[in-house]
């Protein structure tokens, strides 16, 4: 349906102006719902905006500015909001109470949750995400300020003005499109409107103030760091011009003033979720800010003075208004103003039930002292409610400072502030605009002084000169909200998650009394509004059920973000290849120029194969393997992690990190080592070479390079601070290449004449550092392929030159480059673990490396490695697997079963690595199998369900090639 609205409207105000009251269906029961609020606290009116890649679900219509061409769809209703077949859920309400989801896990049949889950998620939920690429652009920005003021209501405007005139650089952040806060809900002819206009004009004239509208503060972090989200949808940004839809701002301030105001809370009565039941402040906002009168016959039910302003404004707009005030005694001035406005007043009474199905048509009103069933009907098409105000203290609690209960305002207020943080206005329980402005000025000046701007405080007479705001805005002159009476109809506490007072009573009866347990058991406060409307009422109700005070009941933990944030905004420009830096080896351009087909290997681009060897990966890899097995090949291994370990305690440090010993390793020798995580699973393996008594050169796998470096730094900074050791990553500083094959020594001798590279000079696991034509080289004799092999390292800037030099000088030996596929296949033939074998789930013994572990020294993971469960003989451990069916292939990830057992469940293991073996002329694999090599020689079945394949295979030793090591010793 095509609709029209005005610039400055929100989607919510435009829909209401077009007479659309029902905008959605509730989460669980699919009851019709309308707007209850006018701001970010809105729990009901959620929409899916846009289409195709721009589809954004779960957006509150109250926070969406109207723009030309805006496309909005209602959610959680089928086939429509007006006629929703899933409303039959209400018939099953007794089965959908508190803990419904958890109870579904437990019965009545095994695997019940897995059976019911698709139906539950399909029937109850929010909007749906899409898989198309988002065409919009999202950015990040960093800001610094002396003073950040959060919230541009009266207190925030005053605080920003005071701090700025005190000499501070000020950022004023406001989530609304206009500054003014609660003043925007007042009539345009209100006495405070000229003050707002003058104050904002004065701010705009200050060069040291930046006003950020449409910018919500998402979270407070250490060091006075605040995450802000700036929305720019209203300007229809064009991504092709580099214009961002949303910007995440990281702002670091010397001081912060929180002027976040307060949110009105609902009253509790039966069927308080009907469309047309609305917060009094929301009805006033729609009327005065958006010129939308939401009802002609209005009931305003309240327990405080503030809601009377809504009644007077609606009456002035032509509505017939009845005020139902729970307090037996109401201020005479209010009664007199009501009389003049033609507003009917009933004190000492409350609404006990809203009437109507598709929208509210009336209310049952009864004396506060009367029993259930003694009420009378009052017809209405708008029911406004106000149960008082709850300070918006979420940000102040993000760093762990708990709120405290203030009986004077019957709400929780900030329990304190970190250094350099201050509060002002309704946040701290102040009721009038004059009080808010005065507190804002004081907080702004204190913040300015804390930021080091110690000049004389300005007098600010223009801010302090406030006109009288009327008798109806003394918000906190109120009575405590009543606990709902028993009777017909559901009393909703959390409108979005369909949590009722009965759910809270059931949770209390079942022992879930803590507000944290209550939240999770009932799902209260777990929606997009995070309990902003219902949280305080829930605490009050639970406190009453337990017979304790509000201060003892406490609140749930407030965490960022304060309002929902899109995944696109969080990602910013870190998408696609910008998600993390694409890493290239020093020889990358040479590979591209010489026929390499590249592949992403973690963050790296590596040659998968070279076109000299074949047109596809399978044929090319086989030919490259034959090259290494029969002659000599060269492979780029620059991506290996390379770490320099130095210091007088370097040997002791490595002894603690590795399971095997390194303290006695001779200078000029390398050793294969394995390190464990705390819980005794294998973290990584690699070779470490001793270059001097106090210096080692460690290499790690490509995948684990960063994690190992982080682990070493963590140990030195936390566990072993007494060790004199420094570690430094050299991964990007050195280029590395592996020369492998029977002719590898001859190739090096041709390339590096004049240097002794004999078996005696560089024995197996030996190291030699030399200088060739002024370039430092580090040569390690070690093998990943099982053949005679060397790793040669040189500073990255010389990598390509050395690579090309080796290929040119050893051309007579037939040297060619080989890629990652052949490299992996060669290591599988030799039985070297890598990749999925090192997935942090397998132990040293699982991988057949248990004999490496020292029995004489401590090392990380030693004690937990001895746990019985990790030494159980039936653990999955490393085996070799050879295919028994010619013409069939083994596949990585295939599930392994004993020959005659049924193919069901998780089997006895799985294949981790697979390749075609040029040596055995068949498919071979490494895998993990229950009981490991105790089953050597037995036939098994390899099942690959995705392709409906079954292949017969045999368990063999994981070392398929040269188990005695003759080839690598040459």
């Amino acid at each position: 349906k095509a609709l029209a609205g005005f610039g400055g409207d929100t989607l919510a105000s435009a829909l209401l102006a077009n007479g659309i009251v029902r905008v959605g269906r509730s989460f669980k029961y699919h009851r019709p719902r309308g707007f209850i609020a006018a701001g970010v606290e809105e729990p009901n009116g959620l929409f899916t905006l846009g289409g195709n890649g721009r589809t954004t679900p779960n957006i509150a219509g109250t926070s969406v500015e109207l723009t030309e061409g805006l496309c909005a769809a209602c959610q959680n209703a089928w086939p429509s909001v007006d006629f929703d077949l899933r409303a039959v859920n209400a018939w099953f309400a007794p089965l959908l109470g508190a803990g419904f989801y958890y109870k579904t896990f437990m019965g009545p049949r095994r695997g019940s949750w897995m059976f019911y889950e698709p139906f539950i998620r399909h029937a109850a939920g929010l909007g749906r995400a899409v898989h198309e690429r988002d065409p919009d652009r999202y950015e990040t920005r960093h800001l610094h300020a002396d003073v950040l003021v959060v919230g541009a209501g009266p207190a925030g405007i005053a605080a920003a003005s005071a701090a700025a005139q005190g000499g501070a650089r000020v950022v004023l952040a406001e989530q609304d499109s206009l500054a003014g806060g609660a003043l925007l809900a007042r009539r345009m002819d209100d006495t405070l409107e000229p003050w707002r206009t003058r104050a904002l004009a004065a701010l705009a004239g200050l060069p040291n103030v930046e006003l950020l509208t449409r910018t919500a503060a998402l979270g407070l972090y250490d060091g006075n760091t605040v995450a802000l989200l700036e929305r720019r949808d209203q300007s229809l940004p064009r991504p092709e011009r580099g214009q961002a839809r949303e910007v995440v701002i990281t702002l670091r301030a010397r001081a912060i003033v929180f002027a976040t105001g307060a949110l009105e809370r609902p009253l509790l009565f039966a069927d308080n979720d009907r469309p047309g039941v609305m917060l009094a402040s929301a009805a006033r906002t729609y009327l005065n800010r958006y010129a939308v009168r939401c009802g002609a016959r209005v009931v305003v039910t309240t327990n405080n003075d503030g809601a009377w302003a809504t009644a007077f404004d609606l009456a002035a707009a032509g509505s017939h208004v009845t005020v139902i005030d729970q307090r037996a005694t109401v201020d005479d001035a209010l009664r007199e103003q009501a009389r003049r406005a033609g507003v009917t007043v009933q004190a000492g009474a409350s609404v006990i039930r809203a009437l109507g199905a598709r929208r509210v048509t009336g209310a049952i009103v009864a004396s506060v002292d009367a029993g259930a069933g003694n009420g009378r009907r009052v017809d209405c098409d708008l029911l406004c409610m106000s149960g008082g105000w709850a300070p918006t203290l979420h940000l102040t609690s993000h760093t762990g400072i708990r709120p405290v209960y203030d009986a004077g305002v019957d709400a929780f207020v900030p329990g304190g502030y970190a250094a350099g943080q201050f509060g002002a206005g309704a946040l701290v329980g102040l009721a009038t605009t004059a009080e808010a402005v005065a507190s804002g000025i004081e907080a702004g000046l204190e913040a300015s002084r804390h930021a080091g701007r110690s000049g004389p405080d300005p007098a600010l007479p223009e801010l302090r000169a406030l006109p009288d705001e009327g008798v109806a805005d003394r918000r906190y002159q109120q009575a405590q909200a009543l606990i709902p009476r028993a009777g017909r109809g559901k009393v909703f506490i959390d409108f979005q998650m369909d949590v009722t007072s009965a759910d809270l009573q059931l949770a209390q009866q079942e022992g879930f009394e803590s507000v944290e347990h209550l939240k999770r058991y009932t799902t209260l406060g777990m929606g997009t509004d995070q309990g902003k409307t219902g949280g305080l009422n829930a605490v009050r109700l639970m406190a009453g059920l337990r017979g304790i005070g509000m201060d003892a009941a406490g609140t749930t933990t407030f965490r960022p973000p304060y309002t929902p944030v899109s995944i696109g905004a969080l990602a910013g420009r870190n998408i696609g290849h910008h998600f993390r830096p694409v890493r290239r080896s020093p020889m990358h351009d040479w590979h591209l120029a010489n026929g390499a087909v590249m592949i992403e290997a973690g963050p790296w681009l590596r040659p998968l194969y070279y076109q000299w060897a074949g047109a596809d990966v399978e044929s090319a890899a086989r030919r490259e393997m034959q090259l290494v097995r029969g002659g000599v090949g060269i492979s780029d291994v620059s991506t290996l992690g390379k770490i320099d370990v130095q210091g007088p305690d370097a040997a002791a440090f490595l002894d603690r990190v590795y399971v095997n010993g390194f303290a006695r390793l001779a200078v000029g020798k390398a050793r294969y080592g394995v390190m464990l995580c705390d819980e005794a699973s294998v973290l990584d393996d690699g070779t470490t070479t001793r270059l001097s008594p106090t210096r080692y050169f460690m290499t790690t796998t490509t995948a684990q390079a960063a994690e190992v470096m982080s682990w070493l730094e963590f140990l030195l900074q936390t566990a072993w601070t007494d060790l004199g050791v420094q570690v430094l990553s050299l991964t990007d500083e050195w280029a590395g290449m592996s020369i492998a094959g029977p002719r590898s020594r001859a190739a090096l001798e041709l390339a590096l004449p004049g240097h002794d590279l004999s078996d005696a000079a560089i024995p197996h696991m030996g190291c030699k550092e030399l200088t060739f034509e002024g370039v430092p080289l580090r040569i390690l004799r070690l093998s990943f392929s099982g053949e005679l092999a060397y790793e040669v390292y040189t500073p990255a800037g010389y990598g390509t030159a050395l690579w090309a030099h080796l290929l040119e000088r050893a051309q007579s030996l037939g040297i060619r480059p080989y890629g990652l596929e052949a490299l992996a296949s060669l290591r599988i033939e030799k039985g070297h673990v890598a990749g999925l074998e090192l997935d942090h789930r397998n132990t040293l013994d699982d991988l057949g490396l248990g004999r490496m572990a020292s029995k004489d020294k401590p090392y990380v993971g030693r004690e937990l490695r001895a746990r019985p469960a990790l030494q159980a003989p039936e653990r999955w451990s490393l085996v070799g697997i050879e295919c028994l069916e010619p013409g069939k292939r083994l596949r990585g990830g295939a599930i392994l079963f004993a020959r005659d057992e049924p193919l069901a469940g998780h089997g006895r293991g799985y294949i981790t690595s697979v390749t075609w073996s040029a040596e055995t002329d068949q498919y071979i694999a490494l895998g993990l199998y229950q009981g490991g090599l105790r089953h050597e020689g037995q036939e098994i079945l390899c099942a690959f369900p995705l392709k409906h394949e079954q292949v017969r295979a045999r368990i063999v030793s994981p070392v398929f090639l040269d188990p005695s090591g003759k080839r690598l010793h040459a």
Side-chain angles (χ1 to χ4, degrees):
K1 178 184 289 188
L3 299 172
F6 288 93
D9 261 331
T10 62
L11 175 60
S13 66
L15 289 174
L16 290 169
N18 280 278
I20 297 175
V21 177
R22 291 180 300 279
V23 295
R25 291 279 174 162
S26 71
F27 180 78
K28 190 161 58 176
Y29 301 119
H30 287 258
R31 290 163 65 104
R33 291 285 168 82
F35 293 109
I36 190 176
V40 296
E41 71 273 24
E42 170 59 39
N44 291 338
L46 302 183
F47 297 85
T48 296
L49 303 182
N52 302 320
R54 287 191 168 91
T55 299
T56 308
N58 309 325
I59 303 298
T62 53
S63 61
V64 177
E65 290 184 60
L66 208 62
T67 55
E68 186 69 33
L70 176 68
C71 180
C74 297
Q75 299 183 166
N76 205 37
W78 185 82
S80 71
V81 167
D82 289 330
F83 181 71
D84 184 6
L85 289 176
R86 297 194 184 110
V88 298
N89 283 10
W91 298 352
F92 303 100
L95 302 177
L96 304 178
F100 156 66
Y101 302 102
Y102 303 103
K103 294 167 184 174
T104 305
F105 277 105
M106 297 188 293
R109 48 175 281 180
R110 183 182 180 185
S112 291
W113 177 256
M114 300 303 292
F115 174 78
Y116 290 118
E117 182 185 21
F119 301 101
I120 292 172
R121 293 197 183 280
H122 185 69
L126 301 172
R128 294 178 179 271
V130 295
H131 295 278
E132 288 89 343
R133 182 181 179 88
D134 188 343
D136 286 315
R137 185 181 181 93
Y138 303 86
E139 296 286 0
T140 56
R141 180 185 176 196
H142 290 265
L143 277 180
H144 294 80
D146 291 328
V147 178
L148 166 67
V149 180
V150 182
I157 293 172
S161 299
Q165 293 186 44
R169 292 178 297 112
V170 178
V171 171
L172 174 58
E174 170 54 54
Q175 64 190 4
D176 204 335
S177 59
L178 296 175
L183 300 182
L184 299 174
R186 304 172 77 101
R187 293 165 59 173
M188 285 297 293
D189 59 358
D190 189 89
T191 56
L192 288 175
E193 179 59 21
W195 179 92
R196 184 185 75 90
T197 304
R198 289 195 307 270
L200 289 175
L203 268 181
L206 296 174
N208 54 333
V209 176
E210 181 175 2
L211 172 60
L212 300 175
T213 56
R214 304 181 179 90
T215 303
L218 300 178
L220 173 67
Y221 303 91
D222 292 344
N224 281 351
T225 300
V226 178
L228 306 170
L229 176 66
E230 180 185 5
R231 296 176 288 105
R232 298 180 177 177
D233 296 82
Q234 79 290 340
S235 63
L236 302 177
R238 298 178 62 177
E240 68 275 11
R241 293 186 176 180
Q243 297 171 351
R245 178 181 180 184
E246 295 177 333
V247 179
V248 170
I249 302 171
T250 301
L251 189 146
R252 295 169 176 84
R254 292 180 176 176
I256 302 174
V257 176
F258 297 103
T260 48
L263 298 174
E264 195 169 27
R265 63 182 191 252
L267 286 173
L268 303 181
F269 49 86
D271 295 327
N272 57 341
D273 67 324
R274 296 302 188 196
V277 177
M278 187 178 291
L279 293 172
S281 58
R284 192 185 188 195
T285 298
Y286 288 125
L287 176 67
N288 293 329
R289 180 173 176 181
Y290 301 111
V292 180
R293 191 181 68 163
C294 296
R297 297 184 63 83
V298 183
V299 168
V300 177
T301 178
T302 183
N303 66 350
N304 64 87
D305 288 354
W308 288 66
T310 298
F312 298 152
D313 287 354
L314 284 167
S319 296
H320 180 276
V321 182
T322 300
V323 173
I324 309 297
D325 199 315
Q326 293 179 0
R327 299 171 298 178
T329 302
V330 177
D331 190 275
D332 290 339
L334 284 179
R335 285 185 179 272
E336 174 59 24
Q337 190 171 346
R339 186 190 64 78
R340 292 198 304 267
V343 173
T344 303
V345 176
Q346 183 176 348
S350 65
V351 170
I352 61 174
R353 188 181 183 193
L355 301 176
R358 296 164 67 85
R359 68 164 296 165
V360 68
T361 58
I364 301 298
V365 178
S367 170
V368 170
D369 300 325
N374 296 322
R376 66 180 181 89
R377 176 187 176 114
V378 178
D379 291 333
C380 64
D381 56 4
L382 174 64
L383 176 52
C384 299
M385 55 183 173
S386 176
W389 295 80
T392 310
L393 46 71
H394 304 66
L395 286 174
T396 67
S397 301
H398 281 176
T399 55
I401 299 175
R402 305 288 297 185
V404 296
Y405 179 70
D406 184 341
V409 297
D410 187 29
F412 288 90
V413 296
Y417 307 94
Q421 297 175 9
F422 310 90
L427 170 69
V428 296
L430 300 178
T432 67
T433 305
E435 291 172 333
V437 169
S439 70
I441 292 173
E442 181 181 357
L445 293 177
E446 288 184 8
S448 180
R449 288 192 292 269
H450 183 86
R453 307 300 180 180
S454 56
D457 292 343
L460 305 172
E462 71 284 357
L463 287 177
R464 300 181 189 274
L466 284 166
D468 180 39
E469 55 189 298
V471 295
D473 277 334
R474 289 175 293 186
R475 292 186 197 156
Y476 290 116
Q477 187 177 341
Q478 64 185 39
Q480 289 191 349
L482 296 176
I483 293 178
R485 308 182 189 187
R488 295 178 56 192
K490 296 181 181 299
V491 179
F492 285 90
I493 310 295
D494 186 314
F495 296 90
Q496 187 170 120
M497 303 304 293
D498 270 354
V499 179
T500 67
S501 60
D503 292 326
L504 268 65
Q505 292 168 356
L506 179 60
Q508 191 270 338
Q509 291 169 6
E510 295 184 345
F512 295 92
E513 298 181 339
S514 161
V515 289
E516 296 287 7
H517 293 159
L518 177 71
K519 173 180 178 178
R520 286 152 183 81
Y521 191 60
T522 64
T523 69
L524 187 145
M526 295 177 67
T528 61
D529 68 326
Q530 288 289 289
K532 291 181 176 66
T533 53
L536 190 56
N537 283 337
V539 174
R540 172 168 299 286
L541 187 55
M542 180 54 75
L545 291 170
R546 295 178 59 191
I548 61 175
M550 292 282 283
D551 51 346
T555 66
T556 55
T557 302
F558 297 110
R559 298 183 177 91
Y562 168 66
T563 53
V565 55
S566 67
I567 302 298
L570 293 176
R573 300 303 302 147
N574 299 319
I575 57 174
H577 284 293
H578 297 289
F579 174 66
R580 56 185 175 189
V582 176
R583 307 187 70 178
R584 299 174 175 88
S585 83
M587 289 80 85
H588 178 82
D589 291 342
W590 188 97
H591 299 318
L592 294 181
N594 287 272
V597 176
M598 309 300 286
I599 187 175
E600 291 185 9
W604 292 91
L605 287 176
R606 301 185 66 180
L608 179 62
Y609 67 93
Y610 293 85
Q611 293 177 346
W612 72 260
D616 60 82
V617 62
E618 197 162 325
S619 60
R622 293 184 185 185
R623 191 172 177 192
E624 289 173 0
M625 290 174 67
Q626 291 169 351
L627 169 76
V628 174
R629 295 292 182 217
V632 59
I634 184 170
S635 177
D636 187 350
V637 295
S638 302
T639 62
L640 292 177
K642 297 175 281 291
I643 300 173
D644 192 70
V645 183
Q646 292 192 47
D649 297 319
F653 174 61
L654 292 178
D655 259 6
R656 299 181 190 183
V657 168
Y658 283 118
V659 302
N660 48 333
F662 280 79
R664 299 178 182 177
L665 182 66
V667 173
K669 296 288 288 184
R671 179 168 290 166
Y672 174 74
V674 178
M675 59 181 70
L676 307 182
C677 301
D678 276 332
E679 74 278 8
S681 62
V682 174
L683 172 65
D684 195 49
D685 70 341
T687 57
T688 293
T689 307
R690 192 166 197 172
L691 303 177
S692 78
T694 59
R695 186 181 184 192
Y696 291 80
F697 177 65
M698 176 189 292
T699 62
T700 74
T701 61
T702 297
Q704 295 296 107
E707 186 169 353
V708 170
M709 182 66 189
S710 177
W711 176 237
L712 298 181
E713 290 179 323
F714 173 80
L715 291 174
L716 288 171
Q717 293 172 17
T718 61
W720 305 321
T721 57
D722 57 319
L723 293 182
V725 179
Q726 295 289 330
V727 292
L728 180 69
S729 174
L730 303 177
T731 301
D732 294 324
E733 194 168 327
W734 290 81
M737 51 208 78
S738 173
I739 300 91
R743 298 182 177 180
S744 57
R745 181 187 291 118
L748 277 178
E749 289 173 338
L750 288 174
L752 305 174
H755 293 279
D756 184 5
L757 304 175
S758 65
D759 185 66
I762 311 180
H764 178 59
M765 301 304 286
C767 170
K768 184 170 186 175
E769 292 187 288
L770 55 88
T771 300
F772 177 72
E773 296 185 357
V775 178
L777 303 181
R778 185 174 294 165
I779 303 175
L780 281 62
R781 181 177 162 186
L782 44 90
S783 177
F784 194 59
S785 62
E787 303 292 341
L788 174 66
Y790 299 84
E791 288 181 3
V792 181
Y793 296 95
T794 193
Y798 297 103
T800 300
L802 180 61
W803 175 277
H805 176 78
L806 286 164
L807 284 167
E808 178 186 357
R809 291 301 179 93
Q811 186 176 5
S812 60
L813 301 178
I815 190 172
R816 293 286 190 98
Y818 65 98
L820 186 60
E821 184 69 18
L823 183 68
S825 298
L826 292 165
R827 72 94 181 168
I828 294 171
E829 285 186 327
K830 185 59 180 173
H832 284 153
V833 294
L836 288 180
E837 292 88 32
L838 303 179
D839 66 354
H840 288 19
R841 294 188 296 175
N842 300 313
T843 69
L844 202 62
D845 301 279
D846 294 341
L847 300 179
L849 303 173
R851 288 176 294 180
M852 289 180 56
S854 171
K855 298 179 181 179
D856 304 323
K857 70 177 184 70
Y859 54 85
V860 174
R862 173 179 173 173
E863 302 306 320
L864 292 185
R865 176 176 168 246
R867 285 177 291 175
L870 297 187
Q871 297 295 327
E874 290 304 303
R875 281 185 63 83
W876 293 7
S877 56
L878 189 70
V879 296
I881 301 167
E882 59 182 14
C883 182
L884 295 179
E885 297 188 62
K888 289 190 176 183
R889 64 181 303 168
L890 302 176
R891 296 187 185 274
I895 304 173
L896 306 179
F897 297 90
R899 176 180 177 180
D900 299 321
E901 70 179 340
L903 304 184
H906 297 291
R908 295 174 178 264
Y910 62 98
I911 291 178
T912 55
S913 305
V914 64
T915 186
W916 172 266
S917 171
E919 288 291 305
T920 62
D921 198 34
Q922 64 179 341
Y923 277 101
I924 61 172
L926 299 179
L928 297 165
Y929 192 78
Q930 190 176 25
L933 289 176
R934 293 194 295 109
H935 300 283
E936 187 172 3
Q938 293 182 10
E939 186 175 320
I940 60 172
L941 280 177
C942 306
F944 195 74
L946 291 178
K947 291 187 175 292
H948 306 288
E949 291 180 353
Q950 299 175 24
V951 180
R952 292 170 44 240
R954 179 187 295 117
I955 292 179
V956 296
S957 166
V959 183
F960 295 92
L961 176 85
D962 187 26
S964 64
K966 290 183 179 179
R967 296 194 186 193
L968 61 89
H969 286 287

